[in-house]
Amino acid sequence: MSTPKQVPQAYYDLLEQIQAIDFVLVELNLYLDTHPNDAESIQQFNQCSYESRKLKKQFEKQFGPLMHFGYSYSNYPWDWIDVPWPWQV
Amino acid sequence: MDNTNTKYYYPYISPFDPCKPIVIKSYSTPPHLYMGFQPPNLPQFSTAREALFRGTLWPALYDTYPPEKAREE
C-alpha cells in the first residue's frame, strides 16, 4: 500500500505567509472602511495586495491551484481534485 | 483611564442560596472599548506573521482574552 502523496514543508510555510498577508489585508480593509482618507494606509493596502497576489502566484506555480471556480488557473491534467483537499491541508 | 483588560466584581451571596457561592466574577474589557474612534497612524506590529498570531495589526488593540479569567484576590 503506497503511502499517499505528502506535501513538502515549503507548502505550509508559503501558505502561512499567504494567510498572514491576507490577515493584514482584512485588518486594513476594515480600518479603511472607517478611515477612507488615510492615504498612507491605502498605500500599505495596495502594497499588501500586490504582495498577496505575488505569493499566491508563486504558490500556484509550485503546488497547483489554490482556489477553484476560476480563481486559479489549472494545470494539465485537471489537478484541483488532487490531494490535499483544502480541508485536508 | 484605568483600561485593564479584565475587570472583576463580587456578586451578592444569599444565606439561602443552596449552591456553592460564586465569590468573584470577571468580564473582558479589551482596549477598543477605551479607544473610541481609532486614530490614524497607530504603530503596527513589525511583521504580518506577528499580526496574524496576535490577532490584530495594532499593538494598541492587542488583548490576550484569557479564557478562564485569572482570579484576582
Side-chain angles (χ1 to χ4, degrees), chain A residues 16 19-21 23-24 27-28 31 34-35 38 40 44, chain B residues 37-38 40-41 44 48-49 51-53 55-58:
Chain A
E16 187 184 273
Q19 187 184 1
I21 204 73
F23 174 75
V24 171
E27 289 276 294
L28 283 174
Y31 170 81
T34 49
H35 299 69
D38 189 336
E40 208 176 296
Q44 183 185 1
Chain B
F37 193 73
Q38 181 175 341
N41 305 323
Q44 297 184 3
R49 186 175 185 279
L52 175 69
F53 279 65
T56 174
L57 190 50
W58 301 276

Side-chain angles (χ1 to χ4, degrees), chain B residues 13-43:
Chain B
I13 298 169
S14 158
F16 306 106
D17 183 350
C19 306
K20 200 159 75 69
I22 296 171
V23 179
I24 183 169
K25 286 181 80 76
S26 60
Y27 55 97
S28 171
T29 52
H32 65 81
L33 297 179
Y34 303 101
M35 183 178 281
F37 193 73
Q38 181 175 341
N41 305 323
L42 274 178

Side-chain angles (χ1 to χ4, degrees), chain A residues 2-85:
Chain A
S2 73
T3 60
K5 169 183 136 189
Q6 284 304 108
V7 287
Q9 180 57 31
Y11 183 98
Y12 291 104
D13 296 342
L14 206 45
L15 212 50
E16 187 184 273
Q17 276 176 35
I18 292 170
Q19 187 184 1
I21 204 73
D22 282 355
F23 174 75
V24 171
L25 280 166
V26 166
E27 289 276 294
L28 283 174
N29 194 324
L30 294 174
Y31 170 81
L32 286 166
D33 288 346
T34 49
H35 299 69
N37 306 315
D38 189 336
E40 208 176 296
S41 297
I42 292 174
Q43 200 211 342
Q44 183 185 1
F45 179 85
N46 288 329
Q47 269 169 2
C48 290
S49 178
Y50 171 76
E51 175 73 15
S52 172
R53 292 164 203 271
K54 199 175 69 175
L55 284 173
K56 281 170 183 161
K57 189 178 281 187
Q58 187 187 339
F59 180 93
E60 285 177 350
K61 198 145 47 80
Q62 250 177 315
F63 301 113
L66 193 58
M67 298 163 280
H68 58 168
F69 290 153
Y71 289 98
S72 292
Y73 292 114
S74 174
N75 300 318
Y76 180 86
W78 178 259
D79 54 359
W80 170 252
I81 52 175
D82 287 353
V83 289
W85 285 88

